[in-house]
Amino acid sequence: MDKEKRNHLIRLFVAIALVYGMVAVLEATLRPTSIVFTVLRKGAIYSLVAVSMNLLNGFTGLFSLGQAGFMLLGAYTYAILTMPTAVKESERVYRYYDCIVHFDTGVVVGLIAAGLVAALFAFLIGLPVLRLKSDYLAIATLGFAEIIRAIFQWDVLGPLTNGANLLREFKDLSRITLPFSDIPFPPTLFVFIVVGICILLIVLLINSTYGRAFKAIRDDEIAAEAMGISLFRHKELSFVISSFFAGVSGALLAMFQYTVQAQQFRTVLTYELLLIVVIGGIGSISGSCIASFLYIALSEWWLRGLDMGRFLGIDAPDLFRSGFRRLVFSVIIMVIVLFFSRGIMGDKELSYQRLKDGVKGLRSRFARTKEVRG
């Protein structure tokens, strides 16, 4: 490894350590009900599912819109498996049905199972669907997400899914403890650790021979096939892996929301994720992460006052009415898309050198402006 790559890795690990250290400090100093934790937890969860979607859309060139369906599978799998047996038998949750699952598992097992169930469904669905291309693939996967949501609300599956009713009292973020103890695990740090491990695995995959094959398929399928790359096998692999991490993110979202219901995983969720991927940059992991936190911060925190008649210290209930936040949010998104046609990061990744070049460019631009005014 040359000196430049070694220095890049050192800076990367230092930056990651600072982020996790900052999260730990915030959890030790701020109130648990602070809106900051909502932004951090939900932003991290959306980062994972956006990166998993980018693996398909950005790195493999498959236009899939079934992410919400795989998140639903992961959320229900985790909730059913981690719900205590006593709760299932007490009718506090399964009031109208007798649950057919009479055991409960740990959090880690539940997260892995959530991903595996989503991956299994992706494998089965991918056999016929991945032979389609472009818009046809998008329509087929979108239809799958809607069908799976309707099936999970079907009364016949009530003993497993509780029908259209809520699932609750499973092991959410407030019930996570340190291994082999009853000491509570910091919930935000737990989400960041799980998301960080998953994104690291995706990055390693992208930089492997499989990742290079995915990019070759994205750039030119005919040329990739001529080089000996099996198109269907690699598309299926990318689809299954992406769905696995979407299932894990669905489980994390269930832990964050404390309840699970199929109605929460509507088509709008998939559109939000697609918007995040486009804003961050199709083909950029760091872009998806940055866009996820910006999207959640804007929608859940910075613009929330617009729906309450108050914004930036200004009380204007006649102007800032309920729903005004969505209007402003849409305008902000349009501005971002206009000025960043390829997204915030394009197909590049955030690095120390890019930050350094950006600061240098701002300084030179400021100097030129100052000279003109002088």
Side-chain angles (χ1 to χ4, degrees):
M1 181 184 299
D2 57 25
K3 185 177 180 180
E4 185 178 351
K5 287 185 177 180
R6 185 169 63 251
N7 290 337
H8 175 72
L9 287 176
I10 291 173
R11 295 191 192 101
L12 179 62
F13 286 126
V14 169
I16 293 173
L18 288 175
V19 170
Y20 280 85
M22 182 186 67
V23 171
V25 169
L26 288 174
E27 288 208 293
T29 55
L30 296 181
R31 292 180 290 106
T33 56
S34 174
I35 188 65
V36 174
F37 294 130
T38 299
V39 173
L40 290 176
R41 294 169 192 172
K42 196 171 182 179
I45 294 168
Y46 271 48
S47 295
L48 175 57
V49 67
V51 169
S52 72
M53 192 174 192
N54 215 342
L55 175 63
L56 273 179
N57 292 20
F59 291 97
T60 316
L62 299 177
F63 190 24
S64 171
L65 294 177
Q67 225 68 2
F70 296 117
M71 290 179 71
L72 181 149
L73 288 168
Y76 268 87
T77 301
Y78 176 84
I80 293 168
L81 292 182
T82 61
M83 189 185 302
T85 304
V87 173
K88 298 172 184 175
E89 296 175 351
S90 66
E91 296 187 357
R92 294 205 302 271
V93 176
Y94 283 86
R95 180 175 301 177
Y96 306 105
Y97 309 95
D98 294 324
C99 184
I100 61 175
V101 179
H102 298 290
F103 62 90
D104 60 280
T105 64
V107 173
V108 176
V109 174
L111 288 172
I112 295 174
L116 291 176
V117 170
L120 175 61
F121 273 79
F123 174 77
L124 297 176
I125 294 165
L127 293 176
V129 164
L130 290 179
R131 303 186 186 279
L132 303 174
K133 293 183 180 181
S134 187
D135 299 341
Y136 299 101
L137 175 61
I139 293 171
T141 51
L142 183 64
F144 153 75
E146 287 298 298
I147 291 171
I148 202 71
R149 182 169 63 87
I151 289 176
F152 268 64
Q153 298 179 89
W154 191 21
D155 289 343
V156 175
L157 288 181
L160 181 64
T161 66
N162 204 23
N165 307 302
L166 288 170
L167 284 178
R168 58 182 184 275
E169 297 194 38
F170 49 85
K171 294 177 182 176
D172 51 49
L173 291 177
S174 64
R175 304 182 186 186
I176 306 299
T177 58
L178 292 172
F180 312 107
S181 69
D182 295 328
I183 302 175
F185 198 108
T188 308
L189 187 60
F190 174 82
V191 173
F192 268 69
I193 289 174
V194 175
V195 169
I197 292 173
C198 292
I199 292 180
L200 175 62
L201 292 175
I202 294 175
V203 171
L204 292 175
L205 174 67
I206 290 172
N207 289 285
S208 67
T209 54
Y210 288 102
R212 288 190 286 272
F214 294 159
K215 294 175 185 177
I217 294 173
R218 174 197 63 188
D219 295 336
D220 193 327
E221 289 191 6
I222 297 176
E225 192 171 24
M227 290 189 298
I229 296 174
S230 174
L231 297 183
F232 180 79
R233 187 166 66 87
H234 283 84
K235 286 181 179 180
E236 181 85 352
L237 181 63
S238 177
F239 192 58
V240 168
I241 293 174
S242 173
S243 302
F244 173 87
F245 290 111
V248 174
S249 64
L252 289 173
L253 188 62
M255 298 175 71
F256 167 76
Q257 294 178 337
Y258 303 106
T259 60
V260 174
Q261 190 178 28
Q263 196 62 23
Q264 298 169 345
F265 300 90
R266 293 176 297 176
T267 309
V268 176
L269 177 59
T270 297
Y271 295 153
E272 288 179 350
L273 297 172
L274 181 61
L275 180 63
I276 289 172
V277 171
V278 172
I279 291 175
I282 298 178
S284 174
I285 300 297
S286 54
S288 294
C289 295
I290 293 170
S292 297
F293 283 101
L294 285 176
Y295 182 88
I296 298 301
L298 281 170
S299 60
E300 300 285 344
W301 185 12
W302 297 336
L303 299 180
R304 183 169 288 276
L306 292 173
D307 286 348
M308 304 175 184
R310 187 183 302 107
F311 185 65
L312 297 177
I314 302 173
D315 291 325
D318 294 334
L319 176 63
F320 304 148
R321 299 181 180 181
S322 177
F324 193 67
R325 173 179 54 166
R326 295 184 178 274
L327 173 62
V328 176
F329 187 61
S330 301
V331 172
I332 292 173
I333 291 173
M334 289 174 62
V335 170
I336 292 175
V337 172
L338 286 174
F339 284 92
F340 299 92
S341 58
R342 298 186 60 193
I344 297 173
M345 295 298 298
D347 58 353
K348 308 296 182 182
E349 299 296 344
L350 185 65
S351 65
Y352 173 77
Q353 188 61 42
R354 287 181 64 85
L355 288 174
K356 190 176 178 180
D357 294 341
V359 172
K360 187 177 179 181
L362 288 175
R363 285 179 178 176
S364 61
R365 183 177 298 179
F366 177 76
R368 287 196 301 269
T369 305
K370 192 174 181 180
E371 289 176 1
V372 171
R373 289 181 178 178

